[in-house]
Each structure stands twice: as structure tokens, then as C-alpha cells.
Amino acid sequence: MNQKYFLPKKWALNATGWLVLEIIAVLALLCLRNLLSDIMSRNDIDALPLARQYADPNWVPRDWSVNQPPVYRVLFQSLFGSLIGSWGFLASSLIGRFFCYALIAWGLVLIGRKLGLNLPLQLLAVAMFLKGNQGVAAGERIVGVLETKIFAYAMVMLAIAFMLRKRYRLMAFLLGLATSFHILVGGYTTLFVAVWVILKRKIYFPSMRELGIIIPLYLITSVFGLKAAIEQLSTPTPASPIPISYIYVFLRMPHHLNPLSWRANWWIIPTFYLVMLVSSAAVLWFNRPTQALPEQLEEYQARIGLFEFTLISLVPYGLGLAIAPFDSQGTLLQYYLFRVGDVMLHLNACLLFACALDRIFTSRKQQKVLVLLCTIVVSISIVKGFHNFQREFQSTLNFPDESQEVDPQWKDLVTWVRKNTPKNDIFVSPPVEFANFIWLTERPTIAKYKLMAQTKAGTLEWFSRMRDLSGNFNGADPLTNFSEKLLTQGYNNLTTDQAKALMVKYDASYFVTRIEHKLDLPIAYRNKSYVLYKK
């Protein structure tokens, strides 16, 4: 029987207090490194305006990008759309991030505790994970800007913790929520958990009675994600000269989906963490307890179990690498085969490395040395993080500013637009640059490269609008030259006739560009850097 049942009540309370303290410590490290980073400048600029429009369809009713169907984002947009409308983008982003980070910290601490890690080792693992990119190659993130994916990963962290504890009902509930928030994050993790439980059936397989509860529980809580997946898969694919999957994989998302587009030495980092993962597991296996207390055996089982779960999560990763040279249309690559494994390899390699250190430094004196080493490494991470946090805090006080790609001249222009133009007038604006135009001005645009449609028909329309905004891709072949630079150059080279044609086609009243872009059109507003033309 677990010894906690023999402890006096005051010690049980102290144990709860330590849990809260550990969560606060991990949360503080997460916030220091990420809370103020890239507010309304990365994926925030995609997710939050969509949520704002979903809650209030009258916000920017004529903008094509923010009026796309929510698809798998229904739960996220329902939760945050009204909050953004009441509190604004800055406050909502901070509140949402803090809440997500708290859930992630809770999950990480529960996982760390099941692995037998004390607080210094937990902080060491988290600090290692936060150093550099969180994904090993495909650009995936667990902790970052506020978007539906971060909520899904928060649920996943907690679900893994309860998986290792054999608390399957909570696990199924959380995996279902993860699937509802993000079908791929939650769906892949659910698949990995199912395979892991089957392979570990002698230890971890639930009873048939338990299965009769957890399966319906998962299906109920995952309803939003499953509904979106069924609708997407059952929707007929529109005819197109260029396959929709090709546009998505090779033109818009190659940094996530196409290994052949990654830099030549991309394989070094995942290989490093794979070696770290396997080496750490080998240390744990060679130092496994033979005659030990039940708690020690459970700790060892959890450590090896996490290692096996990580290997399972890498199966789609390996499949993606194998099929990449042959999947010329992106038929399979479009399903983000690298998504979950990209971060699980990094995170769990760090956690198991900390577990390996715990097994190597066993004596009391060695443990003191280990705590000292952890303290030094974590302190360095905190000092570096605090330096960035100070800079980001100052930037937040001046929100929006350079961090949101808003210079004084741009701020003057968008302020003029909000005060002097009709709310429903459509603006032609660069496809890549000025991605903040919609939420700063609350005026509709034709399309934005960053705000990618998630439906099949929407993807084709997005590509068509990119073609128009870049003057037919500036005369280059988009299949071999498509890039943000190509789109920007094409827009900046639009002639007066092309600009007029765009305004007629999309019923636009204004054309915004940089001052260097000379057009024979009436000028509505101009400053040192930007010019706003009108019909």
C-alpha cells in the first residue's frame, strides 16, 4: 500500500503544497521564456482575428480571410472570440497563454513526479526543452503563441501523465478534449496511446469494463474534432489544374510537411535527440531495480513506458521521411506526419536524460553535486530568459510596436484608416506584408498569405487570390518559385492597370502600399513610408 495513507493529514497537505510549488516553478520558467514573445506577430495573427470574427460576424464582415469556416477551431474560437471582443487582442493573448502554460506546467510536473524527478531535475529538463526550437526539425511547438494547437498540447501533457498512472478515464477525457481542440494533435496522440496500451497490455491494459467507459467518454469529448474530420474527408475535392494537397504541402507549408525542402543538415538535431533518448533509456535499463519497493518498480515502468511511447510517436515521422521522395502530390504528407513526434522526441529525450542523471548520481554526495549542476544550468536559462523578458515587457507596454511590425508611420496610416474610411470598404493590401492590417484597422482585405484557408475550396481560392495580388506571380512559375518573396515582389511591381483591375474585381475602394510603389491613382493618405490610393 502507498505510504501516503500512513502519513498524518498535515504531511498530506504539505505534499499538495509541494505539488503547487513545483507547478508554479515550471510555470514561471515557461512564462519567462514565452509569455510575452510574438504577441500578435506569429500564429496569433492567424488564430485570434478568426476567433474575434467568429464571435462577432459584424466585426469585419467583408474580409475573406477571417470569415473562413472554423473547421476544427470551433471550440477555441467559441472560448476566445467573445473575450477578444471585450478585452482586446493583447489582454486576451496574455490571459490565454497564461492559462495554457499553467495546464502544461501541471502536466509536466505530474509526468516528472511519476518519473521520480525532483524539482531541480524537472526544471533542468524543461530548461533544456525550451532552449532553441521545441521541434527537432518540422517546426512544431508545445509552448508558444495562443492558438488552438497549444490548448490541445496542454490536454496531451495531462493525458500522458494520467496514462502513466493508469487513470484511463481522465486520460480519455483529456485526449477527447485535445482532439476537439486540434484533430491532428489529439488524434495522433490518441492513436499512439492506443498502440502503447496494447503493446503494454500485461501491465497497462484496462479491463473490459473500463474500456466500456473510456471509449464512449473519448468519443463524446472529441465530438468537435471528429465532426470536423468527417466533414473534411467527405467533402468532394474541387477540380483544379494544381492538386489542393500540392498547394498546401509544397507551396504553403513545406517547412512543416516536406522534408525535401528542409535545410541539408536538418537531420543532425533529431539524430542528436534520438541518441540522447536511446542512451538515457539504456542507462535506466542497465540500472533497473531488481529487488525494490513497488513505488520504485512503478517509477522504472513509467520511465521505460515513456521511452516506448516516444518511439511509437516517431513511427509516422519515419513513414513521412520514407514516402517524401515519392509523394509528389502531397497526398499523405498533408496529414502532418511529423507533427506530434517532432516535439515528443525533444521533450521526452530531455525528461529521460534527467532520469538517467538521477540514476547515475545515486549517493548523497553525488546528489548534492547534481542539484548544484541543475541549479547552474537553470539559473543560466533564467538569466537569459529574464533579459529577453525585460525587452519584451517594454515592447508590450508600447503595444503595438516593432514586435508587431508596426512602426510610427504605419501606426499613423492605420489610425487614419480607422477614423476616415467606411467600415465595409475593401482594401487591396500586400499578400505577405502588413499581415496586421485587418485587426489594426478593422477593415476588410482581399487575402493574406498568413491567414491560410483550411477547406479544400478555400485553399484553391486562397491560391487564386495570391496569384492576383502578385500580378500572376510576377511572371514566374509558382510551382518552382513560390515564396513569400515572390508574392511581395509581384505586388510591389503591380502596374496602375493591374491595380485598377484588382479593385474592380474585388470591389475594393483603396490600395495600400509602400511610398516607393508609384501608381497613377488618386491619393487618399500619404506619409514618409506608406501611401493609400483610392478609386
Side-chain angles (χ1 to χ4, degrees), residues 400-449:
D401 69 351
E402 288 83 359
S403 297
Q404 290 75 40
E405 299 181 354
V406 177
D407 57 47
Q409 300 296 317
W410 183 246
K411 186 175 291 188
D412 288 344
L413 183 143
V414 297
T415 301
W416 188 92
V417 168
R418 291 188 67 165
K419 291 181 178 180
N420 297 280
T421 63
K423 184 173 177 60
N424 287 325
D425 277 4
I426 296 177
F427 287 69
V428 181
S429 66
V432 178
E433 295 183 305
F434 314 158
N436 52 34
F437 183 85
I438 301 169
W439 67 270
L440 285 175
T441 64
E442 299 187 349
R443 298 296 186 270
T445 63
I446 294 175
K448 287 297 178 187
Y449 174 85

Side-chain angles (χ1 to χ4, degrees), residues 31 40 45 54 97 163 169 197 301 319 348 350 379 402 407 420 427 450 490 507 525 533:
C31 289
M40 293 307 293
I45 214 168
Y54 181 79
R97 288 180 185 211
M163 175 191 77
R169 297 181 189 183
V197 169
Q301 289 173 355
L319 177 63
N348 295 341
C350 294
S379 297
E402 288 83 359
D407 57 47
N420 297 280
F427 287 69
K450 182 64 178 174
D507 191 24
Y525 175 85
Y533 296 105

